[in-house]
């Protein structure tokens, strides 16, 4: 293939990755919005007070589970920021930085999934809204989308690796 064809394909791959990264980041933010509504509609925010958790009979466990779900929002927001940054570094051609950012976003999303899934176990499982399962499923979807973004990033990087003659 000529250099012009390789350049055109590489630019198309970069644009495809950038657009997919934008969609992924928007889905992260949508997941945060859904998670916030689900968290607020459940009874978990009540147990962010240690005295309320102790008075309810659930004890410290429900307090920790409520705190972990709250922390999952923070971690998920940081992962969304990393996805945005990965898009920006790819557009500039800084592929090692992009891959480090996307892998960091995947790890942070997995941590957010673990934090959010902690509320699915007793005693918080009796307190959460049934829509909490939707929030956890959306986090799994963001994780899968991030893993696919790695495949797209590899496709972009393949056009920039030196070719042997």
């Amino acid at each position: 293939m000529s250099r012009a064809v390789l350049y055109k394909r590489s630019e198309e791959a970069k644009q495809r990755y950038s657009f997919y990264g934008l969609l992924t980041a928007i889905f992260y933010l949508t997941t945060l919005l859904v998670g916030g509504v689900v968290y607020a509609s459940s009874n978990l925010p009540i147990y962010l007070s240690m005295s309320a958790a102790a008075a309810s009979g659930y004890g410290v466990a429900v307090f920790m589970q409520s705190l972990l779900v709250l922390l999952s929002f923070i971690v998920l927001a940081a992962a969304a920021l990393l996805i945005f940054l990965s898009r920006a570094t790819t557009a500039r051609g800084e592929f090692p930085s992009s891959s480090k950012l996307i892998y960091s976003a995947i790890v942070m999303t997995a941590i957010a999934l673990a934090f959010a899934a902690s509320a699915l176990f007793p005693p918080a499982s009796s307190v959460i809204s049934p829509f909490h399962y939707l929030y956890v499923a959306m986090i799994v979807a963001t994780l899968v989308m991030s893993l696919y973004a790695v495949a797209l990033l590899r496709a972009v990087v393949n056009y920039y690796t030196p070719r042997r003659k």
Side-chain angles (χ1 to χ4, degrees):
M1 279 190 259
S2 69
R3 287 185 180 199
V5 172
L6 281 175
Y7 180 75
K8 182 180 176 188
R9 287 188 181 172
S10 67
E11 288 302 312
E12 288 172 355
K14 271 195 332 194
Q15 287 177 351
R16 193 176 317 120
Y17 176 77
S18 180
F19 181 69
Y20 184 77
L22 178 66
L23 288 179
T24 304
I26 289 171
F27 192 72
Y28 267 91
L29 296 177
T30 304
T31 304
L32 278 171
L33 179 67
V34 167
V37 170
V38 166
Y39 182 76
S41 68
S42 71
N43 288 333
L44 278 177
I46 296 169
Y47 300 110
L48 278 175
S49 165
M50 187 71 90
S51 59
S56 71
Y58 293 125
V60 180
V62 76
F63 168 76
M64 287 304 297
Q65 287 173 318
S66 180
L67 190 64
L68 285 175
V69 172
L70 194 61
L71 286 174
S72 76
F73 300 137
I74 297 168
V75 173
L76 205 58
L81 179 66
L82 290 174
I83 294 289
F84 272 122
L85 290 174
S86 175
R87 274 184 71 237
T89 56
T90 302
R92 289 194 312 247
E94 299 173 8
F95 303 122
S97 298
S98 292
S99 59
K100 287 177 188 173
L101 287 168
I102 196 91
Y103 287 128
S104 298
I106 289 170
V107 168
M108 293 187 83
T109 305
I111 291 170
L113 177 63
F115 285 173
S118 70
L120 300 178
F121 300 106
S125 62
S126 62
V127 178
I128 62 171
S129 165
F131 291 108
H132 190 77
Y133 293 101
L134 173 68
Y135 173 57
V136 172
M138 288 180 77
I139 294 176
V140 169
T142 58
L143 189 60
V144 170
M145 289 175 77
S146 299
L147 290 172
Y148 182 67
V150 170
L152 287 177
L153 183 62
R154 285 187 182 154
V156 171
V157 172
N158 284 341
Y159 282 111
Y160 287 92
T161 56
R163 305 260 186 246
R164 292 186 181 173
K165 292 186 179 185

